[in-house]
Amino acid sequence: MKKIIVSLALASVLLSCKSTVSTSNKKEEVNVTIDLIDVKDDKVQVTILAPKINSDQITYSIPKIIPGTYSNDNYGRYIDDLKAFDNKGTLLEVKKTDENTWTIPGAKKLYKITYLVNDTFDSEKGAGFGQEDIFSPAGTNIEAGTNFMVNMHGFVGYFQDKKEIPYRVNITHPETLWGATSMIDLDSKNNSDEFVVSRYGELVENPVMYAKPDYTTFTVDGMDITIAVFSPGKKVTAENITPEMKKMMMAQKTFLGKINANKKYTVLLYLSSMKPNDAKGFGALEHPTSTTVVMPETIPLNMLQEQMKDVVSHEFFHIVTPLTIHSKEIQYFDYNTPKMSEHLWMYEGVTEYFANLFQINQGLITEEAFYERIADKIEQAKRMNDTMPFTTMSANVLQEPYKAQYLNVYQKGALIGMCIDIIIREKSEGKRGILDLMHKLSNEYGVTKAFDDKELFDKIVALTYPEVGDFLKTYVSGPTPIPYDLFLNKVGVSKSTVKVPGGIFLKGQRPYITINPQTNEIVILPNIELNEFFKALSLKGGDIIVAINGKNFNKENIFELITTSQDWKENETISLKIKRDGKEETINGKVALPYEEKETFSSKDASKNTIKEAWLKG
């Protein structure tokens, strides 16, 4: 990150601002100003007007962690030059007590705090590089005059014991940029917005993305939905993805039924240019009324639409849990010394299960495709620690060795949801499933009422069957691996195999290509057995891929090559320019896809079709 030198003129303005205002009639609220116009050296100025403080000392903290990320990210490391002032503009003493917290001894005199915010996208190294990267959808972007990803936890903190009072946030921005958010803008001017929320937790859950307007709106079953897109190369528009998003969200609302009563929902899609200073962590982060999504701009449109369907549907289903059904650890989330809940199997696992189940339930994917997804999750789960109790991993997810198992929430966590669903279907003769359980839990608890971690299993048993409790004790809080075949057999489903296209340039985690670090060229790996694609075109180890179908490729856009290749069809015409033994040559031919046998499942016991249909279509 670049260092910043604040000019004397700017410093003078900041010090003299409102120097005569009295603090005696302060409202019990935190007043925030974020300046997105006067951006200096890629940093944004934030001013916090403090509420009335009666203690001699107060702390101001930027979050160490936020809900939904399950990692210590320390957003305070992106804050520079934090200063505190009294109402006459006099500097007050400030002590930085840790990476995310500042202590102000003269708290009763405190009028305002100012500081500069760096963005996180600039410092991302990408997947597989260290532990310091912040997951892009939870990160921040500062691109003056072009784009600002304002995830509030990266810009605004909280005063000790003042998280539960209202926040009033004023954001000044270029007139050419529009802020997409689920919050209501109370300011009618074109270059400023004002948002008021009831508490800090609500502010953190309401990101804003500023960009030139590119959005669509539609209504589904009483919910107003906005799709906003930032595509730096103008390769994708909101119109491109809206038809598939609308179809998907209509299906989700139908699947959920009365469990969700949100009136507004916003999808913020940021497409990364893949340049060195741009986002590299792809995925999404859920909020009660919105989802932030980060994807590469190079991804083919049809693949982007498929990814959005899977990723956004998962985040949308978080409306059920943990946003509606959650423990006290989440209700009273501590942003700097968090205590984690035991129930990631439900928050992430059941959510991921729903994101797949609703697609077969609503006819968006075939039965075969659903079974392939289940088989893939079983295969992935078996690569993780299959004897680590899920509740233990969940409660300790911020530290090793549990942290390394977090990704299993999307694999084994979803399979836990599936098994519970099947047990309830079997015991109720198909009349009820896990969605019915979630309906009952949402009625029992809800947005404002949290459960105790230790009481959840007993409550679930009271609402379902003893067999569900046995499953939870044995396979969720216990160390026993789940016998998936046993549960799938209850709905007439058993193992089978199918041939599917494999990766052209990657087989699982094994690549067929690499980068020459001296030239940045893409090189076919020597001394390995190449797949059918390479053999059909007579490509050899050591060949340098210069261009494909007229487009040049190198280190900078290798990701685009890999994602584009996933869209190639069998016998499709292809032209490659390669460099072999120092000489360029062109190879024209047909795509030969590599195929591999994959374990999956199929319905084989017709006597259980009734319960199977209730499971998949009920």
Side-chain angles (χ1 to χ4, degrees):
M1 300 301 291
K2 299 175 183 176
K3 291 187 181 281
I4 183 169
I5 300 174
V6 180
S7 70
L8 291 175
L10 178 58
S12 174
V13 170
L14 294 173
L15 289 172
S16 62
C17 180
K18 296 184 181 178
S19 61
T20 61
V21 176
S22 169
T23 61
S24 59
N25 294 318
K26 279 187 179 181
K27 289 184 179 178
E28 184 69 352
E29 69 177 17
V30 179
N31 199 302
V32 180
T33 299
I34 301 174
D35 182 359
L36 303 183
I37 296 176
D38 192 14
V39 178
K40 299 291 185 181
D41 290 339
D42 207 29
K43 298 185 183 184
V44 162
Q45 175 87 32
V46 175
T47 302
I48 310 289
L49 299 187
K52 187 175 181 180
I53 297 170
N54 296 318
S55 59
D56 292 327
Q57 181 172 289
I58 194 77
T59 61
Y60 182 76
S61 298
I62 298 289
K64 177 180 183 178
I65 182 175
I66 59 164
T69 57
Y70 311 105
S71 64
N72 290 321
D73 288 325
N74 297 304
Y75 291 91
R77 59 195 159 116
Y78 296 93
I79 303 300
D80 286 346
D81 200 27
L82 187 142
K83 296 176 181 175
F85 303 90
D86 67 14
N87 68 335
K88 294 180 181 179
T90 304
L91 276 170
L92 300 177
E93 183 184 1
V94 176
K95 299 176 182 176
K96 189 169 184 179
T97 50
D98 63 36
E99 196 162 28
N100 307 291
T101 301
W102 294 259
T103 299
I104 303 165
K108 289 181 180 178
K109 295 180 181 180
L110 179 63
Y111 173 65
K112 71 176 180 181
I113 292 173
T114 66
Y115 51 85
L116 299 164
V117 178
N118 293 280
D119 66 340
T120 71
F121 284 9
D122 280 359
S123 62
E124 288 186 20
K125 299 179 185 69
F129 292 87
Q131 299 297 314
E132 296 302 311
D133 283 5
I134 286 178
F135 181 47
S136 301
T140 59
N141 190 46
I142 297 170
E143 193 174 348
T146 303
N147 175 271
F148 297 90
M149 179 62 81
V150 184
N151 269 311
M152 290 293 181
H153 52 266
F155 288 81
V156 184
Y158 58 91
F159 291 100
Q160 174 187 339
D161 301 326
K162 299 287 184 181
K163 292 201 297 283
E164 301 303 313
I165 65 174
Y167 271 65
R168 184 179 300 272
V169 180
N170 295 274
I171 302 177
T172 57
H173 59 85
E175 286 191 19
T176 55
L177 305 186
W178 173 75
T181 183
S182 286
M183 292 187 289
I184 304 300
D185 178 15
L186 303 176
D187 190 330
S188 60
K189 294 191 288 296
N190 293 330
N191 66 345
S192 61
D193 299 331
E194 182 177 58
F195 306 111
V196 177
V197 295
S198 64
R199 55 195 286 268
Y200 183 71
E202 185 182 349
L203 182 65
V204 168
E205 298 289 7
N206 278 283
V208 189
M209 184 173 75
Y210 286 93
K212 289 182 179 179
D214 180 10
Y215 66 96
T216 57
T217 59
F218 56 91
T219 302
V220 175
D221 191 24
M223 178 187 285
D224 294 328
I225 296 168
T226 298
I227 311 291
V229 173
F230 172 69
S231 177
K234 312 301 179 189
K235 295 182 179 179
V236 178
T237 67
E239 291 285 354
N240 293 148
I241 62 172
T242 293
E244 287 297 316
M245 294 294 292
K246 185 175 182 179
K247 179 181 177 183
M248 177 195 77
M249 296 182 96
M250 288 176 67
Q252 286 185 282
K253 287 282 286 180
T254 301
F255 176 81
L256 280 179
K258 62 185 178 181
I259 202 168
N260 171 48
N262 274 354
K263 296 300 181 185
K264 191 172 183 180
Y265 200 86
T266 303
V267 177
L268 309 176
L269 172 60
Y270 179 97
L271 294 170
S272 171
S273 66
M274 296 299 293
K275 292 179 180 177
N277 63 343
D278 210 345
K280 298 178 181 66
F282 306 127
L285 179 66
E286 83 280 359
H287 300 281
T289 60
S290 63
T291 290
T292 53
V293 188
V294 178
M295 290 287 179
E297 192 178 35
T298 55
I299 190 171
L301 179 60
N302 66 328
M303 191 177 297
L304 175 63
Q305 291 168 333
E306 284 300 308
Q307 289 290 318
M308 290 291 286
K309 185 166 70 174
D310 287 339
V311 170
V312 177
S313 63
H314 174 99
E315 306 308 332
F316 185 84
F317 278 124
H318 273 302
I319 286 171
V320 181
T321 183
L323 302 175
T324 299
I325 308 164
H326 53 255
S327 70
K328 291 176 180 176
E329 286 79 4
I330 290 173
Q331 180 83 9
Y332 308 107
F333 190 82
D334 190 320
Y335 297 91
N336 286 76
T337 53
K339 182 182 178 185
M340 307 307 287
S341 170
E342 294 182 352
H343 299 297
L344 272 174
W345 69 270
M346 183 174 74
Y347 305 141
E348 293 294 344
V350 171
T351 298
E352 175 67 6
Y353 175 59
F354 281 163
N356 288 274
L357 180 65
F358 98 96
Q359 294 189 52
I360 175 65
N361 182 276
Q362 296 294 307
L364 301 183
I365 60 173
T366 64
E367 192 171 318
E368 291 72 24
F370 178 74
Y371 294 146
E372 285 177 22
R373 293 181 179 210
I374 294 301
D376 185 61
K377 288 188 181 299
I378 291 173
E379 180 185 345
Q380 297 294 329
K382 286 180 177 177
R383 295 176 184 174
M384 308 294 281
N385 186 336
D386 209 19
T387 60
M388 180 182 285
F390 228 74
T391 49
T392 303
M393 181 272 288
S394 180
N396 298 281
V397 71
L398 299 180
Q399 61 195 53
E400 298 294 1
Y402 310 100
K403 183 178 180 179
Q405 300 299 312
Y406 166 71
L407 287 177
N408 212 11
V409 299
Y410 303 107
Q411 315 303 337
K412 188 173 182 177
L415 298 168
I416 288 169
M418 178 192 75
C419 293
I420 293 172
D421 197 13
I422 290 172
I423 294 169
I424 296 173
R425 288 291 178 190
E426 180 188 44
K427 300 305 295 183
S428 67
E429 297 181 343
K431 295 183 179 67
R432 291 181 299 279
I434 195 169
L435 182 59
D436 175 76
L437 168 63
M438 302 312 284
H439 274 244
K440 289 176 178 175
L441 286 171
S442 67
N443 290 333
E444 180 80 20
Y445 299 105
V447 174
T448 59
K449 182 183 177 184
F451 59 77
D452 287 322
D453 247 26
K454 298 299 183 185
E455 77 178 20
L456 181 62
F457 283 178
D458 288 341
K459 177 58 67 176
I460 287 174
V461 172
L463 295 173
T464 56
Y465 303 96
E467 288 82 357
V468 175
D470 293 339
F471 176 87
L472 291 169
K473 281 184 203 172
T474 305
Y475 303 114
V476 181
S477 62
T480 309
I482 301 173
Y484 299 108
D485 292 355
L486 174 67
F487 292 97
L488 287 165
N489 286 341
K490 294 176 183 291
V491 288
V493 172
S494 54
K495 286 180 181 175
S496 62
T497 57
V498 64
K499 276 195 172 184
V500 296
I504 289 177
F505 296 108
L506 291 170
K507 182 177 182 180
Q509 300 298 313
R510 193 184 77 189
Y512 292 102
I513 55 178
T514 188
I515 297 292
N516 182 323
Q518 278 75 46
T519 65
N520 288 338
E521 293 172 318
I522 299 173
V523 184
I524 299 174
L525 283 167
N527 305 318
I528 65 167
E529 177 72 18
L530 297 174
N531 64 27
E532 288 79 0
F533 172 81
F534 297 95
K535 291 176 181 177
L537 296 168
S538 299
L539 294 167
K540 301 177 182 178
D543 287 349
I544 296 168
I545 297 175
V546 178
I548 297 180
N549 293 334
K551 184 174 179 65
N552 291 332
F553 288 99
N554 54 38
K555 177 184 177 181
E556 295 302 319
N557 61 350
I558 188 172
F559 184 86
E560 181 178 358
L561 171 63
I562 293 169
T563 55
T564 301
S565 72
Q566 293 172 11
D567 205 33
W568 292 345
K569 303 293 188 292
E570 185 77 42
N571 292 321
E572 181 180 332
T573 300
I574 191 169
S575 177
L576 289 89
K577 183 186 289 185
I578 68 166
K579 200 184 293 181
R580 179 179 291 168
D581 299 326
K583 297 179 181 179
E584 280 195 0
E585 60 180 276
T586 299
I587 296 176
N588 297 309
K590 303 280 187 180
V591 171
L593 295 178
Y595 284 84
E596 54 190 48
E597 279 202 344
K598 191 173 183 180
E599 191 173 90
T600 184
F601 295 91
S602 60
S603 178
K604 294 181 179 177
D605 188 347
S607 69
K608 296 182 179 173
N609 272 354
T610 300
I611 189 170
K612 185 204 75 175
E613 287 300 307
W615 171 45
L616 298 180
K617 299 291 186 178

